[in-house]
Each structure stands twice: as C-alpha cells, then as structure tokens.
Amino acid sequence: MKKWENVTRGISFVIVLTLLPPYLEKIGISFWLIGLCIFAVVYCVFFIVSKIEFLQKSVSNKVGWLTFIAVSIIITVLFEFILK
C-alpha cells in the first residue's frame, strides 16, 4: 500500500519539472541557478505535502500509479498545447 502523499509528491515533481524551467529560462536565469531553484521548490513542496493530513491515507498501488500517470499526461499535454 502507498499513501496519497507519495502520489502527490510524484505529481508535484512532474509539475515543477514541466512548468518551472521554461519560465526561468525566459527571465534569463543561468543553468545552475535553475537547478538550484528547482531543488528548492521541490523540497518546499515535499515539505508542505508531508504536512497535509488527508494525504496520509493509504491507496492501492494500482490506483496510485493510474492517478500519477493520468495526471502526468494531462499536465504535459496542457503545457505543450495550451500554455506554450
């Protein structure tokens, strides 16, 4: 059994890696600073997610993986076709 927290961490990781680097490149931040910003944002999001009580509930592996894959696909498709 997994927790919803783990699924949310994976989804937030996909969101940060998909949306943050292009934005930081547009405003002209260097490669190393982009990496540092991504690390800091992911660390802060993981900390916040660990404090949310609802996400501590168990979920089956099948439902967790299906949720993660579906949300990841939706986020990347939205980013490629709508936000760019």
Side-chain angles (χ1 to χ4, degrees):
M1 290 290 212
K2 290 181 147 189
K3 292 182 181 178
W4 279 111
E5 176 184 357
N6 297 334
V7 176
T8 308
R9 282 183 178 185
I11 292 169
S12 64
F13 195 71
V14 169
I15 291 171
V16 168
L17 288 179
T18 303
L19 301 177
L20 193 59
Y23 173 73
L24 293 175
E25 287 174 2
K26 282 183 183 178
I27 61 175
I29 294 180
S30 70
F31 175 75
W32 298 108
L33 196 54
I34 289 173
L36 183 63
C37 289
I38 289 173
F39 177 76
V41 169
V42 166
Y43 184 76
C44 291
V45 168
F46 283 5
F47 178 76
I48 292 168
V49 164
S50 70
K51 299 299 179 190
I52 299 174
E53 193 67 33
F54 171 76
L55 298 176
Q56 304 304 321
K57 295 181 181 179
S58 294
V59 64
S60 68
N61 284 335
K62 186 176 181 180
V63 172
W65 277 107
L66 287 174
T67 305
F68 171 73
I69 291 170
V71 171
S72 297
I73 290 171
I74 290 169
I75 289 169
T76 53
V77 167
L78 284 176
F79 178 73
E80 289 298 322
F81 292 115
I82 296 174
L83 298 177
K84 249 185 177 181

Tab-separated table of all heavy atoms in Angstrom, residues 6-19 63-81:
chain	number	residue	atom	x	y	z
A	6	ASN	N	2.695	10.036	-1.432
A	6	ASN	CA	3.679	9.639	-2.439
A	6	ASN	C	3.201	9.964	-3.853
A	6	ASN	O	3.984	10.396	-4.700
A	6	ASN	CB	3.981	8.150	-2.316
A	6	ASN	CG	4.609	7.814	-0.984
A	6	ASN	OD1	5.236	8.657	-0.361
A	6	ASN	ND2	4.428	6.587	-0.539
A	7	VAL	N	1.925	9.747	-4.096
A	7	VAL	CA	1.359	10.078	-5.409
A	7	VAL	C	1.436	11.579	-5.638
A	7	VAL	O	1.828	12.047	-6.725
A	7	VAL	CB	-0.099	9.573	-5.507
A	7	VAL	CG1	-0.725	9.985	-6.819
A	7	VAL	CG2	-0.168	8.069	-5.322
A	8	THR	N	1.108	12.364	-4.635
A	8	THR	CA	1.155	13.817	-4.749
A	8	THR	C	2.581	14.316	-4.935
A	8	THR	O	2.814	15.267	-5.685
A	8	THR	CB	0.522	14.459	-3.498
A	8	THR	OG1	-0.769	13.895	-3.301
A	8	THR	CG2	0.400	15.951	-3.653
A	9	ARG	N	3.529	13.686	-4.284
A	9	ARG	CA	4.935	14.075	-4.485
A	9	ARG	C	5.368	13.855	-5.924
A	9	ARG	O	6.026	14.700	-6.517
A	9	ARG	CB	5.836	13.275	-3.553
A	9	ARG	CG	5.833	13.756	-2.155
A	9	ARG	CD	6.794	12.967	-1.314
A	9	ARG	NE	6.825	13.486	0.042
A	9	ARG	CZ	7.645	13.058	0.964
A	9	ARG	NH1	8.467	12.085	0.714
A	9	ARG	NH2	7.607	13.600	2.167
A	10	GLY	N	4.985	12.728	-6.490
A	10	GLY	CA	5.326	12.461	-7.885
A	10	GLY	C	4.684	13.448	-8.834
A	10	GLY	O	5.319	13.950	-9.763
A	11	ILE	N	3.418	13.757	-8.593
A	11	ILE	CA	2.708	14.711	-9.441
A	11	ILE	C	3.320	16.105	-9.313
A	11	ILE	O	3.514	16.806	-10.311
A	11	ILE	CB	1.208	14.724	-9.089
A	11	ILE	CG1	0.561	13.398	-9.491
A	11	ILE	CG2	0.490	15.898	-9.750
A	11	ILE	CD1	-0.838	13.197	-8.966
A	12	SER	N	3.655	16.512	-8.101
A	12	SER	CA	4.260	17.834	-7.920
A	12	SER	C	5.636	17.905	-8.569
A	12	SER	O	6.017	18.946	-9.113
A	12	SER	CB	4.337	18.190	-6.434
A	12	SER	OG	5.185	17.300	-5.751
A	13	PHE	N	6.369	16.804	-8.559
A	13	PHE	CA	7.674	16.753	-9.220
A	13	PHE	C	7.503	16.948	-10.725
A	13	PHE	O	8.261	17.706	-11.349
A	13	PHE	CB	8.352	15.411	-8.912
A	13	PHE	CG	9.802	15.379	-9.226
A	13	PHE	CD1	10.705	16.084	-8.474
A	13	PHE	CD2	10.267	14.623	-10.291
A	13	PHE	CE1	12.060	16.047	-8.769
A	13	PHE	CE2	11.599	14.576	-10.593
A	13	PHE	CZ	12.507	15.294	-9.835
A	14	VAL	N	6.511	16.292	-11.299
A	14	VAL	CA	6.235	16.455	-12.732
A	14	VAL	C	5.830	17.897	-13.039
A	14	VAL	O	6.288	18.484	-14.030
A	14	VAL	CB	5.137	15.468	-13.188
A	14	VAL	CG1	4.638	15.793	-14.587
A	14	VAL	CG2	5.649	14.045	-13.129
A	15	ILE	N	4.997	18.481	-12.208
A	15	ILE	CA	4.557	19.864	-12.422
A	15	ILE	C	5.741	20.824	-12.379
A	15	ILE	O	5.901	21.682	-13.253
A	15	ILE	CB	3.489	20.263	-11.385
A	15	ILE	CG1	2.189	19.515	-11.642
A	15	ILE	CG2	3.236	21.766	-11.395
A	15	ILE	CD1	1.153	19.676	-10.549
A	16	VAL	N	6.591	20.676	-11.380
A	16	VAL	CA	7.737	21.586	-11.240
A	16	VAL	C	8.688	21.425	-12.414
A	16	VAL	O	9.152	22.410	-12.991
A	16	VAL	CB	8.451	21.347	-9.891
A	16	VAL	CG1	9.787	22.047	-9.847
A	16	VAL	CG2	7.578	21.808	-8.742
A	17	LEU	N	8.996	20.189	-12.803
A	17	LEU	CA	9.934	19.980	-13.907
A	17	LEU	C	9.354	20.380	-15.262
A	17	LEU	O	10.097	20.684	-16.188
A	17	LEU	CB	10.385	18.522	-13.951
A	17	LEU	CG	11.331	18.105	-12.840
A	17	LEU	CD1	11.697	16.635	-12.983
A	17	LEU	CD2	12.581	18.954	-12.832
A	18	THR	N	8.048	20.389	-15.381
A	18	THR	CA	7.429	20.780	-16.646
A	18	THR	C	7.264	22.290	-16.755
A	18	THR	O	7.549	22.872	-17.803
A	18	THR	CB	6.043	20.106	-16.794
A	18	THR	OG1	6.209	18.696	-16.698
A	18	THR	CG2	5.417	20.450	-18.121
A	19	LEU	N	6.825	22.939	-15.703
A	19	LEU	CA	6.462	24.346	-15.788
A	19	LEU	C	7.562	25.323	-15.387
A	19	LEU	O	7.633	26.433	-15.931
A	19	LEU	CB	5.224	24.605	-14.935
A	19	LEU	CG	3.972	23.810	-15.311
A	19	LEU	CD1	2.856	24.118	-14.334
A	19	LEU	CD2	3.559	24.103	-16.726
A	63	VAL	N	-4.278	2.088	-8.089
A	63	VAL	CA	-4.936	3.399	-8.133
A	63	VAL	C	-3.902	4.520	-8.075
A	63	VAL	O	-4.022	5.525	-8.779
A	63	VAL	CB	-5.962	3.530	-6.991
A	63	VAL	CG1	-6.513	4.936	-6.908
A	63	VAL	CG2	-7.083	2.529	-7.172
A	64	GLY	N	-2.878	4.350	-7.253
A	64	GLY	CA	-1.836	5.371	-7.143
A	64	GLY	C	-1.100	5.581	-8.456
A	64	GLY	O	-0.905	6.713	-8.900
A	65	TRP	N	-0.692	4.478	-9.096
A	65	TRP	CA	0.030	4.590	-10.357
A	65	TRP	C	-0.864	5.139	-11.471
A	65	TRP	O	-0.418	5.957	-12.278
A	65	TRP	CB	0.615	3.244	-10.777
A	65	TRP	CG	1.912	2.964	-10.113
A	65	TRP	CD1	2.160	2.075	-9.115
A	65	TRP	CD2	3.159	3.607	-10.380
A	65	TRP	NE1	3.472	2.131	-8.744
A	65	TRP	CE2	4.114	3.055	-9.511
A	65	TRP	CE3	3.561	4.601	-11.267
A	65	TRP	CZ2	5.445	3.456	-9.506
A	65	TRP	CZ3	4.886	5.001	-11.272
A	65	TRP	CH2	5.805	4.430	-10.393
A	66	LEU	N	-2.111	4.680	-11.524
A	66	LEU	CA	-3.019	5.183	-12.552
A	66	LEU	C	-3.273	6.683	-12.389
A	66	LEU	O	-3.312	7.426	-13.377
A	66	LEU	CB	-4.339	4.415	-12.530
A	66	LEU	CG	-4.279	2.985	-13.073
A	66	LEU	CD1	-5.610	2.288	-12.860
A	66	LEU	CD2	-3.896	2.982	-14.534
A	67	THR	N	-3.439	7.127	-11.154
A	67	THR	CA	-3.629	8.552	-10.895
A	67	THR	C	-2.398	9.348	-11.305
A	67	THR	O	-2.498	10.384	-11.966
A	67	THR	CB	-3.939	8.786	-9.406
A	67	THR	OG1	-5.065	8.000	-9.035
A	67	THR	CG2	-4.201	10.247	-9.114
A	68	PHE	N	-1.230	8.856	-10.922
A	68	PHE	CA	0.019	9.534	-11.257
A	68	PHE	C	0.208	9.638	-12.771
A	68	PHE	O	0.518	10.712	-13.296
A	68	PHE	CB	1.202	8.806	-10.626
A	68	PHE	CG	2.531	9.314	-11.088
A	68	PHE	CD1	2.997	10.536	-10.666
A	68	PHE	CD2	3.309	8.567	-11.957
A	68	PHE	CE1	4.225	11.017	-11.104
A	68	PHE	CE2	4.530	9.030	-12.395
A	68	PHE	CZ	4.993	10.256	-11.966
A	69	ILE	N	0.012	8.540	-13.477
A	69	ILE	CA	0.211	8.537	-14.925
A	69	ILE	C	-0.804	9.435	-15.621
A	69	ILE	O	-0.456	10.215	-16.523
A	69	ILE	CB	0.150	7.090	-15.466
A	69	ILE	CG1	1.379	6.312	-14.970
A	69	ILE	CG2	0.073	7.068	-16.984
A	69	ILE	CD1	1.314	4.828	-15.223
A	70	ALA	N	-2.071	9.355	-15.218
A	70	ALA	CA	-3.110	10.169	-15.852
A	70	ALA	C	-2.846	11.662	-15.651
A	70	ALA	O	-2.919	12.456	-16.603
A	70	ALA	CB	-4.479	9.790	-15.306
A	71	VAL	N	-2.536	12.057	-14.429
A	71	VAL	CA	-2.290	13.481	-14.151
A	71	VAL	C	-1.024	13.957	-14.853
A	71	VAL	O	-0.978	15.070	-15.384
A	71	VAL	CB	-2.224	13.726	-12.626
A	71	VAL	CG1	-1.767	15.132	-12.320
A	71	VAL	CG2	-3.570	13.460	-12.003
A	72	SER	N	0.010	13.124	-14.911
A	72	SER	CA	1.246	13.500	-15.604
A	72	SER	C	0.998	13.725	-17.086
A	72	SER	O	1.502	14.692	-17.673
A	72	SER	CB	2.308	12.418	-15.412
A	72	SER	OG	2.633	12.287	-14.066
A	73	ILE	N	0.221	12.848	-17.706
A	73	ILE	CA	-0.093	13.010	-19.126
A	73	ILE	C	-0.912	14.280	-19.349
A	73	ILE	O	-0.640	15.054	-20.275
A	73	ILE	CB	-0.833	11.772	-19.657
A	73	ILE	CG1	0.126	10.583	-19.710
A	73	ILE	CG2	-1.445	12.035	-21.026
A	73	ILE	CD1	-0.533	9.265	-20.018
A	74	ILE	N	-1.900	14.521	-18.510
A	74	ILE	CA	-2.733	15.723	-18.646
A	74	ILE	C	-1.889	16.984	-18.510
A	74	ILE	O	-2.038	17.938	-19.285
A	74	ILE	CB	-3.880	15.700	-17.617
A	74	ILE	CG1	-4.885	14.614	-17.990
A	74	ILE	CG2	-4.559	17.059	-17.520
A	74	ILE	CD1	-5.911	14.338	-16.919
A	75	ILE	N	-0.984	17.014	-17.550
A	75	ILE	CA	-0.142	18.196	-17.325
A	75	ILE	C	0.767	18.449	-18.513
A	75	ILE	O	0.883	19.590	-18.993
A	75	ILE	CB	0.668	18.040	-16.028
A	75	ILE	CG1	-0.257	18.148	-14.835
A	75	ILE	CG2	1.781	19.083	-15.949
A	75	ILE	CD1	0.376	17.747	-13.543
A	76	THR	N	1.416	17.413	-19.028
A	76	THR	CA	2.338	17.614	-20.147
A	76	THR	C	1.578	18.005	-21.416
A	76	THR	O	2.049	18.847	-22.181
A	76	THR	CB	3.183	16.365	-20.399
A	76	THR	OG1	2.343	15.230	-20.546
A	76	THR	CG2	4.155	16.137	-19.266
A	77	VAL	N	0.402	17.415	-21.653
A	77	VAL	CA	-0.390	17.787	-22.827
A	77	VAL	C	-0.866	19.233	-22.722
A	77	VAL	O	-0.792	20.002	-23.687
A	77	VAL	CB	-1.567	16.809	-23.021
A	77	VAL	CG1	-2.572	17.334	-24.026
A	77	VAL	CG2	-1.056	15.446	-23.431
A	78	LEU	N	-1.375	19.615	-21.547
A	78	LEU	CA	-1.805	21.007	-21.362
A	78	LEU	C	-0.653	21.977	-21.579
A	78	LEU	O	-0.828	23.036	-22.185
A	78	LEU	CB	-2.395	21.199	-19.971
A	78	LEU	CG	-3.799	20.671	-19.745
A	78	LEU	CD1	-4.187	20.845	-18.279
A	78	LEU	CD2	-4.786	21.390	-20.634
A	79	PHE	N	0.499	21.638	-21.071
A	79	PHE	CA	1.650	22.526	-21.218
A	79	PHE	C	2.052	22.662	-22.684
A	79	PHE	O	2.325	23.765	-23.163
A	79	PHE	CB	2.836	22.025	-20.403
A	79	PHE	CG	4.064	22.867	-20.565
A	79	PHE	CD1	4.118	24.112	-19.965
A	79	PHE	CD2	5.130	22.438	-21.318
A	79	PHE	CE1	5.245	24.916	-20.117
A	79	PHE	CE2	6.245	23.222	-21.469
A	79	PHE	CZ	6.309	24.465	-20.871
A	80	GLU	N	2.090	21.557	-23.406
A	80	GLU	CA	2.535	21.595	-24.796
A	80	GLU	C	1.547	22.306	-25.709
A	80	GLU	O	1.947	23.020	-26.620
A	80	GLU	CB	2.785	20.178	-25.314
A	80	GLU	CG	4.001	19.529	-24.733
A	80	GLU	CD	5.281	20.271	-25.072
A	80	GLU	OE1	5.418	20.790	-26.206
A	80	GLU	OE2	6.157	20.323	-24.189
A	81	PHE	N	0.253	22.114	-25.504
A	81	PHE	CA	-0.718	22.645	-26.454
A	81	PHE	C	-1.384	23.945	-26.019
A	81	PHE	O	-1.807	24.722	-26.856
A	81	PHE	CB	-1.797	21.591	-26.736
A	81	PHE	CG	-1.259	20.405	-27.484
A	81	PHE	CD1	-1.238	19.166	-26.886
A	81	PHE	CD2	-0.766	20.550	-28.766
A	81	PHE	CE1	-0.739	18.070	-27.568
A	81	PHE	CE2	-0.270	19.467	-29.457
A	81	PHE	CZ	-0.252	18.215	-28.855
